[in-house]
Amino acid sequence: MYQVRTDLALEAKERFSGDRTEVKGVRVQEEKNGNITVTKVLIETENGAKAMGKPKGSYITLEAPDMAESDEGYHREISRQLACILKELMPIESRELSVLIVGLGNREVTPDALGPRVVDNMMITRHIIRKFGKYAFGLKRNHQISSIVPGVMAQTGMETLEIIKGVLDETAPDYIIAIDALAARSTRRLNRTIQITDTGISPGSGVGNHRHALNRESMGIPVIAIGIPTVVDAVTIVSDTMNNLVSAMEETRKLEDLGKSISRLEEAEKYELIRELLSPSLNAMFVTPKDIDESVKRLSFTISEGINMAFFPA
């Protein structure tokens, strides 16, 4: 069965845009803030959730074409946008919160190290407030921020959900913010897109490595998930290349008939054809940009700065 491997709700919605089909129970709102596009995909009904293959809730996407560049001012603006979105999803400005930051992923695998790297840069306050009191930082509201990097099952032998539940029993936070690397359908979104959602997250789902979901149902408290796509399915790259090839064929008279016959295939048919043609080893391959080391380091600062801004405004 055809299924695009992506963690982004925006890309799931785009599957229907090509057919000019509106998905009932799904609303899309878009606004531009300078060079940053903010798109909200709101899945409001069970039918909409089934069609999209995503749980009901809000999916907010920040698309910044220059996010891969090392422009500190630009990244600071992205962090500000992220802070504003977190304030929309959480009552940060109305009461003091206890929040557990969870850095999902494997620190030893660079494309999957985003979550742990974000935790490294976070402002952690729970232990200080518990020791010195609510006025330790002299702020109007003193949010208690704690963090954990649970690792992956191959390292711990435990499900992430099991580890976090143990922490919840001892610390009783009001919210969880989980950060993870995602998989995208489009190469142009790699390291250039941030998705924030109030529906939680299923670690590894984008690469077909499903684990127990971290969400309100499993955790008992709201879970906000933040992610950046760092990998793309190899089949996707070949599919995009095929589309470019078809466009070139249609412009060449000798190959025009072949190009038209391929272009008549549905997107799902093209995708399945490529999956069958690729060897089993390539079929399961995911690809990441060559500068992923520097990108993950830079983007982890961008996300951590946005979270810090939300809870501790200057």
Side-chain angles (χ1 to χ4, degrees):
M1 181 179 178
Y2 169 69
Q3 183 177 4
V4 175
R5 285 181 172 176
T6 178
D7 289 312
L8 301 178
L10 180 61
E11 292 186 332
K13 178 64 176 68
E14 286 174 347
R15 285 190 295 138
F16 301 95
S17 300
D19 301 328
R20 297 181 181 178
T21 302
E22 289 299 321
V23 184
K24 290 184 178 179
V26 178
R27 288 191 297 122
V28 179
Q29 303 170 352
E30 181 180 304
E31 64 176 81
K32 282 189 174 291
N33 298 307
N35 199 25
I36 301 172
T37 303
V38 180
T39 306
K40 297 181 180 179
V41 178
L42 308 173
I43 303 178
E44 300 172 324
T45 67
E46 291 298 338
N47 285 338
K50 185 176 181 181
M52 293 282 288
K54 306 281 183 187
K56 287 169 54 179
S58 301
Y59 299 82
I60 304 171
T61 304
L62 283 173
E63 291 185 274
D66 298 327
M67 196 160 74
E69 304 299 325
S70 57
D71 183 335
E72 290 186 11
Y74 187 62
H75 278 263
R76 190 162 183 80
E77 182 56 36
I78 296 170
S79 296
R80 288 196 189 98
Q81 294 284 340
L82 174 57
C84 291
I85 292 170
L86 289 175
K87 290 176 181 178
E88 289 180 19
L89 298 177
M90 306 169 68
I92 294 173
E93 296 183 319
S94 61
R95 64 187 179 95
E96 292 182 343
L97 298 175
S98 175
V99 179
L100 175 65
I101 310 294
V102 179
L104 298 171
N106 188 343
R107 191 186 294 275
E108 306 302 321
V109 180
T110 305
D112 197 31
L114 181 70
R117 294 281 186 88
V118 169
V119 168
D120 290 344
N121 302 321
M122 283 300 306
M123 183 174 177
I124 305 301
T125 62
R126 180 177 181 271
H127 61 304
I128 298 174
I129 293 174
R130 287 171 65 85
K131 183 174 182 178
F132 297 105
K134 61 184 296 184
Y135 300 106
F137 294 97
L139 299 173
K140 184 177 180 180
R141 291 186 178 83
N142 289 277
H143 303 290
Q144 296 188 37
I145 308 299
S146 55
S147 69
I148 183 174
V149 177
V152 294
M153 182 178 282
Q155 296 170 323
T156 65
M158 294 178 284
E159 284 277 1
T160 300
L161 179 141
E162 295 174 320
I163 297 172
I164 297 175
K165 273 195 169 182
V167 175
L168 293 186
D169 291 342
E170 294 296 325
T171 61
D174 301 309
Y175 279 81
I176 291 173
I177 296 180
I179 300 100
D180 198 9
L182 307 178
R185 162 63 182 84
S186 171
T187 53
R188 68 183 174 84
R189 288 199 169 98
L190 289 180
N191 300 329
R192 294 178 178 86
T193 304
I194 303 175
Q195 177 175 269
I196 308 99
T197 175
D198 60 4
T199 64
I201 193 168
S202 296
S205 60
V207 296
N209 186 21
H210 296 276
R211 294 286 179 250
H212 291 300
L214 308 179
N215 52 34
R216 183 190 285 266
E217 288 70 30
S218 63
M219 296 288 99
I221 60 174
V223 179
I224 307 297
I226 302 174
I228 294 178
T230 60
V231 297
V232 66
D233 191 350
V235 178
T236 292
I237 296 176
V238 179
S239 179
D240 290 344
T241 303
M242 176 182 280
N243 289 335
N244 294 335
L245 177 62
V246 167
S247 298
M249 283 179 168
E250 289 176 342
E251 294 176 4
T252 304
R253 181 168 299 178
K254 290 182 179 179
L255 298 174
E256 187 173 0
D257 291 339
L258 177 59
K260 286 182 178 179
S261 64
I262 296 176
S263 66
R264 282 194 289 267
L265 292 175
E266 296 289 334
E267 192 66 27
E269 294 172 326
K270 289 182 192 175
Y271 197 86
E272 285 302 319
L273 174 62
I274 294 167
R275 286 178 64 88
E276 291 176 9
L277 291 175
L278 287 177
S279 67
S281 58
L282 287 176
N283 201 344
M285 182 178 290
F286 284 80
V287 183
T288 195
K290 65 179 182 180
D291 61 345
I292 190 62
D293 301 75
E294 187 62 31
S295 293
V296 167
K297 180 181 178 181
R298 181 168 54 246
L299 296 174
S300 66
F301 277 108
T302 302
I303 293 181
S304 60
E305 188 70 8
I307 300 173
N308 287 335
M309 281 182 180
F311 291 102
F312 308 104

